[in-house]
């Protein structure tokens, strides 16, 4: 019988300490899951209503993790730039940190301009912002040890950068973010995207109900659409057969192909048995931007908040669409804005896709270019 040697109690303690240390620094690691460095229209933060940049963290451990004492930074020489509060992340839980420079944590209070009041924060707001030109993001634990980091390059408006849902070692670009959830399967390392869906009927005015057919020649493609003004996403209805248009509607559609970013959104407004003796302007935007109880600009008569929208301008008599553009819209006025029908300011900006409108809005005025115009209600 061969004799066996057992480690001394001191060695057992050292071994257990090493195992515990490995568990703390390994199993409790957070991963940077997704970043959005140029947020123009993709999800406003719930506290301030701003379209802010963000960093999303993911607890990849199989145990809950208290992130108290952990820090996040955009400067590798200042690892303790912003401390995370004491809070527990469940296994597989995601955490959004809004990088808006506001330095606020849940439970703290801050003045919210769009509400014109003090409010209690529900989200994390770091004391720095992300650069669209590219920079560094690092996460450090309560011992000051590096947990995860990323150096990212130049970013594109409303395109996030994150870990592949099927390959944890691969980073992809995503045309739509997945706040607080696993990243989309519609991502691409080269920012590839499919083409646009074909619409069977032209936008405009019709005296009778119509049936709209959508199609694509893209292999393995899925067409998703909306008719409520929102941008189609991976949860929107899948097109399978003709869409009945019995009332005036704005249809938005885009193509999805796994392994690529979502395609460009196609927008077309249809008017059924409507009068077109005057020019018609169709405005479509997410309902939360307009009628949300927290920051909806029409619901709350918020003057200073600008939200993204799509506009289509139709000529009188002929009903032909003269132009389509992405814009920002705001409520305006000194007191007239408090009336039930809000006046709107329509603003053209490069970040929405069009910086200048090149169209003679007023036939009797020799002005061919506009950076904004007003839609005023009768006072």
């Amino acid at each position: 019988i061969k004799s066996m040697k057992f480690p001394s109690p001191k060695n057992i303690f050292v071994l257990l300490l090493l195992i515990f240390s490995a568990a703390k620094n390994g199993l409790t690691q957070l991963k940077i899951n997704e970043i959005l460095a140029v947020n123009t229209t993709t999800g406003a933060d719930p506290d301030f209503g701003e379209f802010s940049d963000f960093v999303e963290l993911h607890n990849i451990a199989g145990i809950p993790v208290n992130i108290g004492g952990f820090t996040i930074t955009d400067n590798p020489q200042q690892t303790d730039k912003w401390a995370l509060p004491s809070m527990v992340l469940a296994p597989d839980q995601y955490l959004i940190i809004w990088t808006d420079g506001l330095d606020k944590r849940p439970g703290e209070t801050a003045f919210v301009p769009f509400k014109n009041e003090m409010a209690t924060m529900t989200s994390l707001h770091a004391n720095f912002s992300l650069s669209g030109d590219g920079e560094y993001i690092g996460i450090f634990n309560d011992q000051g040890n590096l947990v995860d980091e990323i150096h990212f390059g130049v970013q594109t408006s409303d395109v996030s950068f994150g870990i592949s849902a099927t390959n944890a070692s691969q980073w992809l670009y995503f045309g739509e973010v997945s706040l607080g959830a696993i990243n989309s399967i519609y991502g691409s390392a080269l920012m590839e995207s499919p083409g646009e869906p074909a619409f069977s009927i032209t936008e405009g005015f019709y005296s009778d109900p119509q049936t709209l057919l959508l199609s694509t020649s893209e292999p393995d493609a899925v067409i998703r659409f909306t008719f409520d003004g929102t941008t189609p996403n991976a949860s929107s209805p899948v097109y399978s057969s003709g869409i009945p248009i019995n009332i005036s509607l704005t249809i938005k559609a885009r193509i999805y192909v796994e392994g690529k970013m979502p395609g460009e959104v196609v927008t077309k407004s249809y008017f059924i048995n409507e009068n077109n003796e005057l020019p018609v302007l169709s405005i479509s935007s997410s309902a939360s931007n307009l009628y949300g109880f927290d920051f909806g600009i029409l619901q709350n008569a918020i003057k200073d908040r600008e939200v993204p929208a799509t506009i289509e301008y139709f000529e009188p008599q002929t009903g032909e669409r003269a132009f389509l553009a992405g814009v920002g819209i705001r409520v305006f006025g000194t007191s007239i804005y408090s009336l039930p029908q809000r006046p709107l300011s329509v603003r053209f900006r490069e970040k929405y896709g069009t910086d200048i409108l090149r169209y003679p809005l007023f036939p009797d005025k020799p002005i061919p270019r506009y950076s904004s115009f007003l839609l005023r209600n009768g006072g």
Side-chain angles (χ1 to χ4, degrees), residues 103-364:
D103 190 17
K104 292 295 177 181
R105 297 164 180 81
E108 298 178 354
T109 58
F111 180 75
V112 180
F114 293 150
K115 292 184 176 181
N116 194 31
E117 64 182 24
M118 296 295 292
T120 300
M121 301 292 98
T122 62
S123 301
L124 283 71
H125 302 266
N127 61 354
F128 61 88
S129 301
L130 299 184
S131 170
D133 294 329
E135 62 172 327
Y136 169 88
I137 294 293
I139 304 293
F140 294 81
N141 67 11
D142 53 357
Q143 303 298 312
N145 299 320
L146 178 66
V147 173
D148 196 18
E149 64 181 354
I150 179 178
H151 295 265
F152 61 90
V154 176
Q155 300 295 296
T156 301
S157 176
D158 290 336
V159 175
S160 68
F161 189 50
I163 294 176
S164 166
T166 57
N167 182 354
S169 64
Q170 183 180 28
W171 282 74
L172 303 174
Y173 292 98
F174 301 97
E176 58 186 44
V177 303
S178 50
L179 287 169
I182 188 172
N183 291 335
S184 171
I185 60 173
Y186 301 107
S188 168
L190 302 176
M191 298 185 71
E192 296 176 292
S193 60
E196 299 178 352
F199 284 55
S200 64
I201 55 176
T202 305
E203 68 284 340
F205 293 79
Y206 293 87
S207 58
D208 300 307
Q210 301 291 309
T211 298
L212 172 64
L213 304 178
L214 303 177
S215 61
T216 176
S217 58
E218 191 87 24
D220 302 318
V222 171
I223 300 176
R224 295 183 181 272
F225 71 98
T226 61
F227 49 82
D228 61 357
T230 59
T231 299
N233 58 38
S235 300
S236 299
V238 174
Y239 172 81
S240 58
S241 59
I243 303 171
I245 302 180
N246 301 316
I247 59 174
S248 298
L249 290 174
T250 296
I251 304 295
K252 295 186 178 184
R254 70 197 308 190
I255 296 174
Y256 285 79
V257 176
E258 190 170 339
K260 295 183 179 181
M261 291 170 47
E264 290 292 323
V265 177
V266 177
T267 302
K268 293 182 182 291
S269 290
Y270 299 95
F271 305 96
I272 306 300
N273 196 26
E274 299 279 4
N275 189 315
N276 66 334
E277 293 182 5
L278 295 175
V280 172
L281 190 69
S282 173
I283 302 176
S284 57
S285 183
S286 170
S288 61
N289 290 335
L290 305 179
Y291 300 106
F293 285 102
D294 287 329
F295 296 108
I297 62 172
L298 299 184
Q299 176 71 30
N300 302 285
I302 297 175
K303 280 209 308 181
D304 298 323
R305 187 180 189 222
E306 184 170 303
V307 299
T310 302
I311 63 169
E312 300 169 86
Y313 182 87
F314 294 85
E315 295 280 12
Q317 308 299 331
T318 65
E320 292 183 2
R321 188 171 72 182
F323 63 83
L324 174 147
V327 296
I329 58 174
R330 294 188 181 196
V331 170
F332 80 96
T334 303
S335 59
I336 193 174
Y337 73 94
S338 62
L339 295 177
Q341 188 180 57
R342 321 283 189 205
L344 293 175
S345 168
V346 178
R347 306 181 179 210
F348 296 87
R349 303 187 191 279
E350 185 177 1
K351 66 180 182 179
Y352 300 125
T354 307
D355 59 346
I356 292 290
L357 172 64
R358 294 171 173 82
Y359 183 79
L361 279 174
F362 304 97
D364 57 339

Side-chain angles (χ1 to χ4, degrees), residues 21-32:
S21 177
K24 182 172 184 179
N25 294 312
L27 291 178
T28 63
Q29 281 187 352
L30 300 181
K31 297 293 291 183
I32 300 172

Side-chain angles (χ1 to χ4, degrees), residues 76-125:
Q77 307 305 317
Q78 186 183 355
T79 61
D80 60 348
K81 189 165 187 177
W82 195 73
L84 278 68
S86 180
M87 57 188 301
V88 176
L89 295 186
D92 202 36
Q93 184 177 347
Y94 297 85
L95 179 68
I96 299 296
I97 301 172
W98 299 97
T99 51
D100 48 20
L102 296 176
D103 190 17
K104 292 295 177 181
R105 297 164 180 81
E108 298 178 354
T109 58
F111 180 75
V112 180
F114 293 150
K115 292 184 176 181
N116 194 31
E117 64 182 24
M118 296 295 292
T120 300
M121 301 292 98
T122 62
S123 301
L124 283 71
H125 302 266

